[in-house]
Amino acid sequence: MATFLYGLGRLAFRRRRLFLMGWIVVLAAVGIGSASVSGTTTDDFSLPGTQSQKAIDLLGKEFPQASAGGATAQVVFEAPKGQKLTDAGNKSEINALVAELKAAPWH
């Protein structure tokens, strides 16, 4: 690897004008490309069909006054088939996870 880098550096020094022109062309192409592709940006992001998006849509429908715009994370729980979130085993697991999240350093 060192030999390759040495050879590349030596070639770049010997053909410095060619390398300089190449870098100018690359930078110009990047500048022109970014200027021609730029458009308006948006903060709206959704993944239609995913469980998380369905949960966010349901929350927005059921609780429109509770904006999630300032939220840093949303946790969605799903019970195994044939069980409910309010079952004793599921409820204890959820409570344990909520306690862990509350103790997290970002909270």
Side-chain angles (χ1 to χ4, degrees):
M1 183 69 173
T3 307
F4 171 73
L5 291 176
Y6 173 78
L8 182 62
R10 189 173 166 159
L11 176 66
F13 179 76
R14 281 188 280 140
R15 305 280 185 179
R16 57 186 167 265
R17 289 186 181 135
L18 180 64
F19 272 75
L20 179 63
M21 293 295 282
W23 277 111
I24 290 172
V25 167
V26 167
L27 289 174
V30 168
I32 291 170
S34 67
S36 65
V37 177
S38 67
T40 59
T41 59
T42 180
D43 290 338
D44 186 28
F45 182 77
S46 65
L47 295 169
T50 62
Q51 290 181 352
S52 298
Q53 187 64 49
K54 289 177 186 176
I56 290 171
D57 293 342
L58 179 63
L59 286 172
K61 180 180 158 190
E62 295 292 325
F63 306 104
Q65 71 280 7
S67 171
T72 57
Q74 293 182 0
V75 179
V76 178
F77 297 100
E78 179 183 7
K81 289 204 183 274
Q83 295 183 16
K84 294 183 178 182
L85 289 177
T86 55
D87 291 347
N90 293 334
K91 196 169 187 178
S92 65
E93 286 185 36
I94 290 171
N95 289 337
L97 181 59
V98 168
E100 280 184 47
L101 291 173
K102 286 183 178 179
W106 63 79
H107 186 266

